[in-house]
Amino acid sequence: MVLKVYADRMSQPSRAVIIFCKMNGIDYEEIKVHISKGQHLTSEFAEINPMKQLPAIVDGRFKLFESHAILIYLACAFPGVADHWYPADVSRRSRIHSVLDWHHSNLRRGAAPYVFNTTIAPVLGRPLNPQAAAEAETILTSSLSKLESFWLKGNGRFLLGGNQPSIADLSLVCEIMQLEVLDEKDRARLLDPHKKVQQWIENTRNATSPHFDEVHKVLMKAKEQLQYQRLKAAKNEGGSYMKKPLPSRIWP
């Protein structure tokens, strides 16, 4: 049976799983679950993932959720996956686990709530939470600094000094890519101090071409629509586009 991947490409971890499948020639069926429509909260989807989050996979009778676990499973269960994604060497594999664990405790705790509480909440008709945004920014800034000074130290092009990407690179880059939907000045303020992080993003994009850009098209479309709404609000109202909910069509 063909692997089923339940995903919304606006979801950072969903993009990581889809890119991995494409890069490694894994035959799969992508089943779209639209977060903006609340499809992940239905009782039907709860049969796939009781946590009601994306992504999730079904491989025959086997069901699995949590993107890191999914990436590890795919790297181990499907033939032909290059060793650099999830090395057979136990020490190298354990170091990848350390990055993935750090990711969920740090970078994701900063990036996701910051983007939501500065940009995405109004699109979904939700109120902004400036305090949550400020707290998330502190975590995000610290995480980007740790990426720059520790995880990307050395001469390698990828995390942990590697010259080829691992599942950790893919997972963390997709996390950071969500910053694309921010106001350009805000994104620049956060990322410009971190030149090694910016180069690593580009290295990972190049290493996973053309799939990286193809999977991120939906994010880039959302970015363009949000930028248009910002300009329109500034021109017509002289105020913030966040004062009232935006049309749902902005969210793909």
Side-chain angles (χ1 to χ4, degrees):
M1 297 180 66
V2 175
L3 172 74
K4 294 182 179 181
V5 177
Y6 294 79
D8 182 334
R9 293 192 181 193
M10 281 299 293
S11 152
Q12 307 84 258
S14 290
R15 294 195 299 271
V17 170
I18 292 170
I19 293 170
F20 184 85
C21 288
K22 288 178 175 291
M23 283 297 300
N24 290 284
I26 297 173
D27 190 19
Y28 73 99
E29 176 187 1
E30 182 178 345
I31 301 175
K32 295 180 180 179
V33 181
H34 295 280
I35 294 175
S36 63
K37 298 178 182 178
Q39 293 177 350
H40 61 303
L41 302 175
T42 64
S43 57
E44 290 80 8
F45 183 67
E47 294 294 321
I48 304 299
N49 179 4
M51 303 298 124
K52 298 182 179 181
Q53 294 180 328
L54 296 171
I57 64 169
V58 175
D59 187 17
R61 295 183 177 180
F62 179 64
K63 300 175 182 178
L64 186 65
F65 54 90
E66 292 295 336
S67 62
H68 293 168
I70 291 170
L71 290 168
I72 292 169
Y73 173 78
L74 296 176
C76 296
F78 287 82
V81 175
D83 184 71
H84 64 83
W85 289 109
Y86 189 60
D89 179 80
V90 175
S91 61
R92 293 172 63 198
R93 181 174 289 190
S94 296
R95 295 179 70 205
I96 287 174
H97 278 265
S98 71
V99 179
L100 294 175
D101 288 349
W102 176 85
H103 171 207
H104 271 171
S105 298
N106 296 272
L107 182 61
R108 185 155 181 78
R109 287 181 56 237
Y114 182 76
V115 171
F116 183 83
N117 283 291
T118 58
T119 306
I120 300 302
V123 178
L124 301 178
R126 301 275 297 275
L128 293 175
N129 186 331
Q131 181 178 347
E135 292 172 355
E137 181 177 353
T138 299
I139 298 172
L140 174 58
T141 301
S142 174
S143 298
L144 290 170
S145 295
K146 284 291 193 302
L147 267 175
E148 184 93 358
S149 64
F150 184 75
W151 298 116
L152 289 170
K153 69 181 180 182
N155 298 321
R157 295 188 299 137
F158 300 99
L159 295 172
L160 301 170
N163 288 314
Q164 291 179 302
S166 72
I167 60 173
D169 291 280
L170 192 54
S171 185
L172 271 66
V173 161
C174 286
E175 187 74 59
I176 292 178
M177 281 299 292
Q178 68 183 303
L179 301 183
E180 289 287 338
V181 302
L182 298 175
D183 176 84
E184 286 294 333
K185 291 182 179 180
D186 197 20
R187 180 180 178 276
R189 177 179 61 82
L190 292 166
L191 282 180
D192 280 0
H194 306 290
K195 302 304 181 185
K196 292 180 72 173
V197 170
Q198 294 179 65
Q199 185 58 57
W200 162 68
I201 294 171
E202 192 62 24
N203 290 343
T204 307
R205 172 187 278 111
N206 292 336
T208 56
S209 178
H211 306 300
F212 189 94
D213 288 337
E214 188 272 319
V215 173
H216 279 88
K217 279 183 179 179
V218 65
L219 185 72
M220 296 300 105
K221 181 181 178 181
K223 174 183 179 178
E224 292 176 2
Q225 292 172 327
L226 284 163
Q227 288 176 336
Y228 171 77
Q229 289 294 326
R230 291 185 187 104
L231 290 173
K232 183 178 179 181
K235 180 179 180 180
N236 297 338
E237 300 177 12
S240 171
Y241 80 106
M242 292 182 185
K243 289 182 179 178
K244 58 183 179 180
L246 298 178
S248 60
R249 63 179 180 272
I250 286 181
W251 192 269

